[in-house]
Amino acid sequence: MAVVVRAGAAPMWWLGVVAAGIGAVPEGVTGRRIGVLAGAALFLVGAAVVALVRRGRYTALSREVARAGKYDVLQDRAVTVRAWRRGHRWWLLLGWAVALGSAFAVPAAGGMLLAGLGTGLRLKAAWLGRLERARETLLWVRVDWLDRRGGRPAGKAVKGLRGTGVAAGDAAPGGARRRTAALV
């Protein structure tokens, strides 16, 4: 579940940083100083809102974890990330274009907001990772319960979560890539 949440964090962060960097060039209507200060405020608010929204639903789903069965369809981390990014590429591109276009009114603010949304997703994935470590169970959403774009891990279609041991699969708790020990 944390893999789906974390899948959008990196693209949003990097597109936001690029949009903020390019967006700091024009003076804009409000001026650079006000734009960057507004962007910093939007970054913090966006990160906090994304990190905190729907935590109750995630917690409720994590309380009723069923052991992953033989016929549950669970997919690797790389496949999940690729499916999410493919399914949301136009939304990411549109968000980047809007963030870049808003720089002519309020320099850097839109890009900083987009980066804040990516940071909020990373914080939510880290929170889910702490939840997984505390329960010593990786939380999985069945692939057929995700929406057609590979997202909404706590949506209405998700009736429950599946659990495996923390060593299962290629994802570590929190959705990060599992680090393998180097062979000597």
Side-chain angles (χ1 to χ4, degrees), residues 6-81:
R6 190 179 170 126
M12 281 187 186
W13 165 259
W14 284 111
L15 289 173
V17 167
V18 169
I22 295 171
V25 174
E27 188 67 31
V29 175
T30 62
R32 247 181 241 115
R33 182 170 184 252
I34 292 174
V36 170
L37 289 174
L42 287 172
F43 178 91
L44 294 173
V45 168
V49 167
V50 170
L52 297 175
V53 74
R54 296 188 60 102
R55 272 197 182 195
R57 172 81 170 139
Y58 285 100
T59 304
L61 284 171
S62 69
R63 279 191 211 114
E64 301 170 6
V65 175
R67 185 176 170 100
K70 184 177 182 178
Y71 297 106
D72 286 331
V73 180
L74 308 173
Q75 61 189 14
D76 287 341
R77 179 189 183 282
V79 175
T80 303
V81 170

Side-chain angles (χ1 to χ4, degrees), residues 3 8 134 142 184:
V3 173
R142 287 179 38 175
V184 181

